[in-house]
Amino acid sequence: MLTITWQEEIASLKQDLRKEINKISDHSEINIPNYICINNLKSKLERLDEIENILSIEKYKIVFIGTIGEGKTTAICHLFNLISDFNVSKTIANKSRNVIETKELLSTGAGKTTICEVIIKAAVKTYIEIEPYTVDEMENLIFEFCDYIADKDKDNLQTDQKIIISKEIERAIRNIIEMKLQYKTIYEGEKKKTEIIDPAKEKFDLLGLEEVKKNALNNAKLEYRTTNKIEFDNQTNEKEWIKNVFAAINNVEFKEFAIPRKIYLNVSYDVLSGSNLSQFDSVVDTKGLDENPIRKDLQKYIENQDTICLFVTSFNDAPEANIRKLIGYHLTSKSKDFHHRFVTLVLTHKNQPEKVHGCDGDWDAGIQIRKEEVQATFRNLNLDFFLENILFYDALRYYRDDIVKLNTDIYSEEDVQADKNEFIEAIVGVVERRRNILLDEIKDITESFTRIKNGDALTGSEIKAIEKAIQKIKDLRDLSKRVPSFVYKDQGLDKGFVTKYIEYYRTVYKAWNTKHAIHRNFGSYEPRNIDIYYDMRVFAEGMDEDEMLKKFTKEAKQELENILNDLTSANESLKTLIPELVIQFNSLYDNFISEVGKEIQKEAKRKLSPQKEDSDFWTALIKEKGKVRPPGETYTDNVCQTLKHELEKEESLNTFLEIQAVKSWKKLVAKILSFFGEK
């Protein structure tokens, strides 16, 4: 007996569905039962197209997402054999010794992090390519660094008055402008201490801010930083070349390279011998999460069907707050099946699992207990998450405590490789589970289609039940009858959308220089992946089910769902036809939330336009920097009031949100009614 491939099965099923649709459509009378039947079959066709596209994915991207400093890069390097042994100087028992340690090829130094997103691919030849920042963008970063230096010695500054710059940006700028920190050893008797000399601070003290800026720009020679690609030259050890050149590009040590917006590392098969990297399209090390984890740059990966997202979290805090927020925001979209592609990657350290309460010092038992605790956390947040998609990995589990070197007294290279293979197999298992779920769905669609074809005509009582349900659905068309206007606006102690967003803007981007950078770039700040228009979209939609639009419409959504479910439970023949509509409704609801959010994003951009220097609004915000203020007045208060006023003037963004919600909800209900043949 010949085995039928899924491609053949889908092609045959689609053909049969189209024939049946044409057969019913050619019927002399298109009544309610026929409308339901046709739309049910059309839904099946659409879903089969989606399944076909997903099953056709040859290689998945593996994307690591996590808070800064959680160990994403270290895990990636060890998992995909981007490591090698190097001679290093190490202090052991208070003495400096030369030892051989295993180092990550993407290591940038102790306590340091990658400056941007890194995309790693298997290739025939090793080379590194960057997507650079523009000259204007780099100039702005240099000026911000100079302001940071000028601000350093100011006393008693509150958090929102301090200038904050990330360590990786500071390191890059110091290299570009040739003002690296210098370290000098000073002896006081038998004691020694290290003095830090800051050339940038010395120049500021001597010359003042404007001269420091001129000097920094002159040293940077930004217009000459035009090289974007460098290939392995075959002159040195290839792994050593990757380590040194990647660090130099990440730290912007090469005078011909700009600050990278993205780094593309293409690694030769020679280096990847024994690695699993070529199993995947690419591995992506995203820029670490900070105050605002729900970022526009991550959404493309999260929404792409060809991506497995690994949310990285430390063992003791798993899942930590940033990961809970990010996963929670996306998993509330029930129709998108994100949980099929989401993995929580818990990074353990040495004997942490053995210290878990109730495991009796057993590593495997500790892992299992912690895994169930992580899933329970998601369950308590009303989020679906497969237990099998909660994975654990410790890159240094088999290494010595004193130096980063395999502990050969206990373990072998085979132990290390077996651990990596087990993890990669678990990732492949995520893909296989998703594939099997979809293959089962093809069978379910086939069986459902057979039942529809062979099913009896709807009874008179079933048709009456449908008519009654249609009327109930029509009564839910006007969202304003379910959600009063005041929930969108300030009323008494209750705060409306704009006020709540401004509070969010004030607290999430605490430092004044971050706000100033956002204003100077007219609402976005790429070095920190900030986009206030996208933020407003997310905020309007609701970061979870109990916020903003998701909260306001929760009751109305439940009413609609109940109407459809009641039809199924009370009427035998409808059990074949209506479940498709319930699935479709969840998709329509998610699209409704997303559509309103996108409209808010567009309207916010329109209200704050033009995004140019000749805008009175942006000029007013930019001029708040350095302004002399009377007692009690602050930079943050002023810019937040100005932003709030702009979002509320003319037609307030509060009113716009309400209007869009009502309009889009009406469209959602109309689509449900069309399933029954209603206009």
Side-chain angles (χ1 to χ4, degrees), residues 537-550:
R537 167 191 168 174
V538 170
F539 201 81
E541 291 174 7
M543 292 187 186
D544 59 42
E545 288 181 329
D546 295 314
E547 291 184 22
M548 295 310 298
L549 196 58
K550 289 173 186 171

Side-chain angles (χ1 to χ4, degrees), residues 372-427:
E372 288 169 5
E373 288 172 350
V374 171
Q375 192 189 38
T377 300
F378 287 127
R379 200 180 293 121
N380 291 337
L381 295 168
N382 196 29
L383 302 174
D384 289 329
F385 213 97
F386 293 143
L387 188 67
E388 301 91 336
N389 286 20
I390 301 169
L391 305 180
F392 292 76
Y393 182 66
D394 180 357
L396 304 178
R397 182 182 176 190
Y398 302 101
Y399 287 71
R400 286 165 52 177
D401 293 327
D402 54 345
I403 62 171
V404 184
K405 189 73 181 164
L406 180 64
N407 189 346
T408 52
D409 291 342
I410 306 172
Y411 306 111
S412 66
E413 292 286 356
E414 287 73 22
D415 293 321
V416 176
Q417 192 59 49
D419 200 38
K420 294 175 188 178
N421 291 344
E422 186 180 337
F423 184 88
I424 297 299
E425 282 165 17
I427 296 297

Side-chain angles (χ1 to χ4, degrees), residues 4-20 45 48 52 442 446 449 453:
I4 298 174
T5 65
W6 63 262
Q7 292 94 334
E8 291 168 327
E9 193 175 350
I10 286 178
S12 172
L13 185 50
K14 280 166 134 182
Q15 190 177 30
D16 291 345
L17 284 164
R18 290 191 188 99
K19 279 181 186 173
E20 191 65 19
L45 268 176
L48 285 170
E52 188 171 17
I442 296 170
T446 305
F449 175 44
K453 274 205 307 182

Side-chain angles (χ1 to χ4, degrees), residues 119-123 125-129 238 241-242 264-268:
I119 298 101
I120 309 160
K121 287 179 81 88
K125 188 174 181 181
T126 292
Y127 64 95
I128 301 175
E129 201 165 4
E238 194 166 354
W241 183 91
I242 292 172
Y264 297 88
L265 171 61
N266 295 268
V267 188
S268 76

Side-chain angles (χ1 to χ4, degrees), residues 353-356 359-367:
E354 294 163 23
K355 294 179 180 177
V356 170
C359 79
D360 294 327
D362 183 79
W363 199 91
D364 291 324
I367 291 289

Side-chain angles (χ1 to χ4, degrees), residues 580-602:
E580 219 96 13
L581 180 53
V582 176
I583 293 166
Q584 198 174 25
F585 166 64
N586 282 322
S587 178
L588 289 170
Y589 178 78
D590 289 341
N591 290 342
F592 152 74
I593 294 289
S594 178
E595 184 180 294
V596 175
K598 285 176 183 173
E599 288 301 321
I600 284 286
Q601 185 176 357
K602 271 170 35 185

Side-chain angles (χ1 to χ4, degrees), residues 87-98:
N87 287 309
V88 297
S89 178
K90 189 118 180 176
T91 302
I92 301 172
N94 295 321
K95 287 188 178 180
S96 181
R97 301 176 190 274
N98 289 323

